[in-house]
Amino acid sequence: MSDATPRSADGSGKDPDPDAKTAVTVLVALAANLVIAVAKAVGGVFAGSPALLSEAAHSVADSLNEVFLLASLKRSKKAPDDQHPFGYGKERYFWSLLAAVGIFVMGGCFSVFQGFEALHTGSSEDHSGYLVGLAVLGVALLAEGSSLVRALVQVRGHAREAGHGTLAELRRGDDPTLRTVLAEDSTACLGVLFAIAGMWLHMVTGNAAYEAAASFLIGALLGYVAYRLAMESRGRLIGEAIDPVQRHELRVFLDEQPEIDTVTSLLTMRLGNDSTLVAARIDLVPGLDSEEVERVLVRVKAAMARAWPYADQIFLDVTDASAGDRARAHRDRKALEEVVAARSEDAEGDRDG
């Protein structure tokens, strides 16, 4: 029989509650962004720097987004009710989608606008203006870097618990709140570097086009990140299956039960970070009476809930499998095994790297 070690939603052997750590990470990022936004805005007005004003808009957008993410952490924990029998876990994906929209509208669009303004009107800074702007950006880089390091440390911890590398966790991590903070901090550091380069080249050459180019780059970067985050949230909102490795574990467990002849289909959907719907159509071996069938279903569902605590909504549908159902089930399992094998090779590469 399959290993019945309890597993969390990320597939690890532990079932930690990471929300407290995530909330601290979000609060650290929020504090850093609020201070940095004010410094960038004051410095941008004083220096007349479009790149610095673009970065100020970036930090304002990130600050508002962190408020969204804090709301998601709280609202996603609400208990199920009559109107939402599966709970509010998808609130986290909704607020992450709003954060992505905020990054695009408040950060990306304003940055592009500042770039066009710089090209249209030109801008000039005196020596003290350059120094103030570069000093503000240097402090911002240190603050954003500190927030990024904290987010990376948390991601690394999740990867260690899940038994794979950091790169694999970055690609497949389940927590949209942490992923959004990490994306914001990464783009913030890169955006600051763009702004520093644009301001420095403007100072050296006297050509405002360099700062305009920096603003365009910051806007393009924010637009790309917003798109990626929005697509991830969209997938979770419309109903996304759990990781193939976890699906394979569930399928193997069901196939190994002596009373189950064939698993004709296995459907899963994320309902939140720690909640998953599992629906399986199974064909039982012949000769079981109604009471035996009931006992088998209760035992199997209880064993699944113990082994995979995140699978808190389990439905088993007993059906008579046709020859076509069996053939399709065999193809589905083979395809899933191929995906899992490919994932294992990728994980080995991440650990070796």
Side-chain angles (χ1 to χ4, degrees):
M1 186 174 291
S2 299
D3 177 18
T5 301
R7 295 177 182 272
S8 64
D10 61 8
S12 68
K14 302 178 181 179
D15 189 26
D17 181 4
D19 282 357
K21 292 182 179 178
T22 301
V24 173
T25 299
V26 175
L27 287 170
V28 168
L30 175 59
N33 279 315
L34 286 173
V35 174
I36 293 167
V38 173
K40 288 176 180 176
V42 173
V45 172
F46 179 81
S49 168
L52 194 51
L53 290 173
S54 295
E55 272 301 294
H58 183 177
S59 295
V60 171
D62 286 351
S63 298
L64 292 176
N65 292 338
E66 261 105 45
V67 174
F68 290 157
L69 298 179
L70 288 172
S72 78
L73 290 175
K74 181 178 181 180
R75 294 184 63 84
S76 65
K77 290 297 185 180
K78 291 175 62 178
D81 54 37
D82 291 341
Q83 293 298 316
H84 302 87
F86 292 109
Y88 289 79
K90 289 192 176 185
E91 285 266 12
R92 189 166 297 199
Y93 310 140
F94 169 74
W95 290 97
S96 295
L97 178 62
L98 287 187
V101 173
I103 291 173
F104 177 76
V105 175
M106 292 181 289
C109 292
F110 184 79
S111 295
V112 172
F113 170 76
Q114 282 295 315
F116 280 115
E117 279 290 297
L119 288 177
H120 178 68
T121 63
S123 62
S124 59
E125 295 143 289
D126 56 26
H127 187 69
S128 60
Y130 288 122
L131 294 180
V132 169
L134 291 173
V136 169
L137 289 173
V139 172
L141 185 60
L142 290 175
E144 298 283 13
S146 299
S147 180
L148 175 61
V149 168
R150 177 178 176 83
L152 285 172
V153 168
Q154 189 172 348
V155 170
R156 177 60 178 167
H158 288 184
R160 191 181 302 111
E161 291 169 358
H164 52 231
T166 302
L167 291 178
E169 179 66 20
L170 290 174
R171 288 196 297 266
R172 303 194 289 269
D174 289 334
D175 190 345
T177 304
L178 182 58
R179 288 171 67 86
T180 301
V181 172
L182 187 62
E184 288 178 350
D185 289 342
S186 301
T187 54
C189 290
L190 190 54
V192 169
L193 292 176
F194 287 158
I196 289 175
M199 183 174 286
W200 182 79
L201 288 171
H202 185 186
M203 180 178 67
V204 172
T205 64
N207 188 349
Y210 289 109
E211 283 206 66
S215 293
F216 288 139
L217 286 173
I218 293 168
L221 176 65
L222 292 175
Y224 172 75
V225 171
Y227 171 78
R228 291 297 301 270
L229 291 174
M231 288 299 100
E232 290 178 7
S233 296
R234 171 184 175 273
R236 303 288 174 88
L237 282 171
I238 64 177
E240 185 177 65
I242 61 175
D243 186 84
V245 175
Q246 298 169 33
R247 296 206 308 272
H248 182 255
E249 291 175 349
L250 290 168
R251 182 152 202 145
V252 169
F253 175 83
L254 291 172
D255 281 335
E256 290 181 350
Q257 302 307 304
E259 301 89 352
I260 296 179
D261 181 66
T262 304
V263 180
T264 60
S265 65
L266 176 63
L267 307 175
T268 64
M269 184 172 66
R270 297 178 185 276
L271 301 176
N273 268 25
D274 53 2
S275 179
T276 296
L277 184 148
V278 178
R281 292 189 178 93
I282 56 176
D283 184 10
L284 299 178
V285 297
L288 299 177
D289 61 32
S290 59
E291 291 186 359
E292 289 175 316
V293 169
E294 183 178 353
R295 285 197 296 269
V296 167
L297 296 181
V298 170
R299 179 183 61 79
V300 171
K301 289 168 67 174
M304 291 175 68
R306 287 194 303 271
W308 295 276
Y310 62 86
D312 57 339
Q313 302 290 340
I314 302 173
F315 300 91
L316 301 179
D317 178 27
V318 179
T319 184
D320 290 326
S322 65
D325 292 333
R326 296 176 190 277
R328 184 175 64 254
H330 177 73
R331 290 194 301 269
D332 291 345
R333 177 162 178 171
K334 184 177 180 180
L336 190 57
E337 288 172 347
E338 291 174 353
V339 173
V340 171
R343 284 287 184 88
S344 297
E345 293 178 1
D346 291 343
E348 287 295 330
D350 290 340
R351 282 194 288 268
D352 293 341

